[in-house]
Amino acid sequence: MSEQDRLFAKPQATVADFAFNEDVVRVFPDMIKRSVPGYPTIVENIGVIAAQFTQPNTILYDLGCSLGAVSQSLRRHVQSESTKVVAVDNSAAMIERCREYMSAQSSMYEQLLPIDIVETDILSLDFQPASVVALNFTLQFIAPEKRLGLLRKIHSTLHPKGALLLSEKIRFEFQEEQVLLNDLHIAFKRANGYSEMEIAQKRSALENVMMIDSIEVHRARLKEAGFSSVIPWFQCFNFASFVALP
Ligand SMILES: C[S@@+](CC[C@H](N)C(=O)[O-])C[C@H]1O[C@@H](n2cnc3c(N)ncnc32)[C@H](O)[C@@H]1O
Ligand SMILES: O=C(O)C(=O)C[C@]1(C(=O)O)C=C[C@@H](O)C=C1
């Protein structure tokens, strides 16, 4: 079971950059559910959507898998005899706990897709032919100048009938929209029990590590990477999910 996230509850003289370390791993399921509006809906439906795009003899990638929530959804929703999930993260602490969760899932249910769990940087991953690639709140942690190259690699690995499933925190180019949706996100965090101090300290911890783009920037970059269409399927406040078709 995950502990309650109190990582930013006490005042810190200097707030260190956010890292996916052991402290975060311990509270991660609670943290992400109380921080990302719609997270359970997004994760559940990634499995539903993936099932529509899965092709025989291809891989389903969960890039930046953390504790494997998306992988679990893929394994529950996709039924195929010639497919496996490959879950990738470069945080050793995340991968260690992810392995425990996945073997617990394997022992609880029969006939789940097999899964490989790989500790590596997704920027140096040697991609195999894939029909689904999930980037669920991961691209925002990749250096902006590396994002196009990664998306190009993903595009070239994807089956013509496959899809990239991308979720991101987003910013808005229209000021009034940015202010309202950011305020609503803060209200969501408050409603989930976070204090003003927790909200402020987490914001400064994320400032140098999570660079967010607008929907227009995502669209243009996905097009440049070769994707033919970018279809939003979910948005709650400043968090959005897209299906990008090769
Ligand atoms: C917000 S979490 C993703 C949440 C997860 N996909 C889910 O739905 O529960 C971002 C993850 O991306 C991982 N990550 C960031 N940069 C990475 C990289 N270059 N290679 C692999 N994983 C990376 C982090 O370690 C972290 O676990
Ligand atoms: O924007 C915020 O305040 C967040 O907490 C977002 C966010 C994310 O989108 O990944 C950041 C870090 C944690 O992994 C959980 C949520």
Side-chain angles (χ1 to χ4, degrees), residues 9-10 35 48 52 55 70 113 121 136 142 161 165 184 194 197 226 236 240:
K10 291 198 184 130
S35 302
V48 173
Q52 305 302 309
Q55 305 298 324
V70 166
L113 291 185
D121 187 331
N136 204 38
I142 300 296
K161 291 184 177 163
L165 308 181
L184 290 176
Y194 283 120
M197 180 180 304
C236 187

Side-chain angles (χ1 to χ4, degrees), residues 18 20 24 28 31-37 66 94 136-138 140-141 168-169 182 185 189 194 199 202-203 206 210 212 238-239:
F18 189 87
F20 292 97
V24 169
F28 191 71
M31 168 188 274
I32 197 154
K33 209 164 97 198
R34 288 163 66 217
S35 302
V36 176
S66 298
M94 284 290 187
N136 204 38
F137 305 110
T138 299
Q140 61 200 13
F141 292 103
E168 290 274 289
K169 185 177 186 185
N182 187 56
H185 178 226
K189 284 195 168 188
Y194 283 120
I199 294 168
K202 179 144 184 231
R203 191 192 51 225
L206 285 169
M210 185 175 85
I212 60 174
N238 45 357
F239 290 80

Side-chain angles (χ1 to χ4, degrees), residues 169-184:
K169 185 177 186 185
I170 46 179
R171 64 179 170 80
F172 298 89
E173 293 178 1
F174 181 47
Q175 187 62 9
E176 207 174 3
E177 196 175 1
Q178 170 61 24
V179 170
L180 176 68
L181 295 177
N182 187 56
D183 284 352
L184 290 176

Side-chain angles (χ1 to χ4, degrees), residues 149-165:
L150 174 63
L151 293 174
R152 281 201 168 117
K153 254 168 105 175
I154 292 171
H155 181 266
S156 66
T157 206
L158 267 178
H159 188 282
K161 291 184 177 163
L164 164 66
L165 308 181

Side-chain angles (χ1 to χ4, degrees), residues 18-20 28 32 36 39 42-43 46 62-71 88-92 94 118 120-124 134-143 210:
F18 189 87
F20 292 97
F28 191 71
I32 197 154
V36 176
Y39 176 76
I42 294 163
V43 168
I46 285 176
D62 176 7
L63 303 182
C65 61
S66 298
L67 302 179
V70 166
S71 292
V88 185
D89 206 290
N90 65 351
S91 156
M94 284 290 187
V118 185
T120 195
D121 187 331
I122 57 174
L123 293 170
S124 53
L135 276 170
N136 204 38
F137 305 110
T138 299
L139 194 64
Q140 61 200 13
F141 292 103
I142 300 296
M210 185 175 85

